[in-house]
Structure formats: structure tokens, C-alpha cells
Amino acid sequence: MISFAEPPVGQLIRRHRLRRAMTQAALAEALASVSGNGSVTRDQVSRWEGGGRVPGPYWRGWLSVVLGLPRTELDRAAARTRAERLLSTAAREA
């Protein structure tokens, strides 16, 4: 079940990034370093935090490692964000 008491995934990422005194660029660099995948950029982190994109399972796994968050917490937050998008789309179409 999706709980709307939990923050959206972007807010969760931002909160934990700031707790670690990291910039968006530093988070992108840390993700690239631990994953061995240099495709993540500061712009991508910005889109996640701003709600423009939801990180997929691959990046949620690495975000869990870098930010010290339980993977399940990130997964629930991502599900909440997707549910909010669906509700918003349905409301606009009604």
C-alpha cells in the first residue's frame, strides 16, 4: 500500500543529500564512483529532486548506498511519487 504520509522521492533524496552536506554535483559524482556508471549527472539529480523524474530501481539501489537510506524507503517514496502523478493526470483529464 502507498502511504501519502511519506515524502515524495525527490524530497527524500534532497533531505538526505543536504544532511551529508553534499551538492547535487557531489551526489552525482559519488553515484558514478560507487556504481562505476558515469552516466549520472548533476542535472539528473536535479530532475529527481525537483520531481521531473523518478529514479529507477538501478539508481535507487545506488542512492541507498550513497545516502545511507534503506532501499525500501526509496522504493516506497518512488511509488508515492508515481501515484501522485497518476492522480494528478486523472484529475486534469476529468
Side-chain angles (χ1 to χ4, degrees), residues 11-80:
Q11 287 179 13
L12 186 65
I13 292 168
R14 178 177 165 76
R15 180 183 313 143
H16 286 274
R17 174 180 62 79
L18 292 174
R19 283 184 183 161
R20 285 166 178 67
M22 297 175 83
T23 64
Q24 290 176 339
L27 176 56
E29 288 174 20
L31 289 167
S33 178
V34 299
S35 69
N37 182 341
S39 70
V40 67
T41 63
R42 187 213 57 86
D43 289 334
Q44 187 165 356
V45 172
S46 176
R47 286 190 297 271
W48 291 338
E49 290 184 1
R53 300 282 308 209
V54 175
Y58 175 83
W59 287 116
R60 288 196 307 267
W62 291 115
L63 284 161
S64 174
V65 171
V66 171
L67 297 176
L69 282 166
R71 170 69 184 263
T72 55
E73 189 173 349
L74 282 161
D75 290 342
R76 285 192 310 264
R80 177 207 167 147

Side-chain angles (χ1 to χ4, degrees), residues 72-93:
T72 55
E73 189 173 349
L74 282 161
D75 290 342
R76 285 192 310 264
R80 177 207 167 147
T81 302
R82 286 193 178 102
E84 285 179 341
R85 284 181 176 180
L86 287 173
L87 290 171
S88 176
T89 300
R92 283 193 306 264
E93 294 175 355

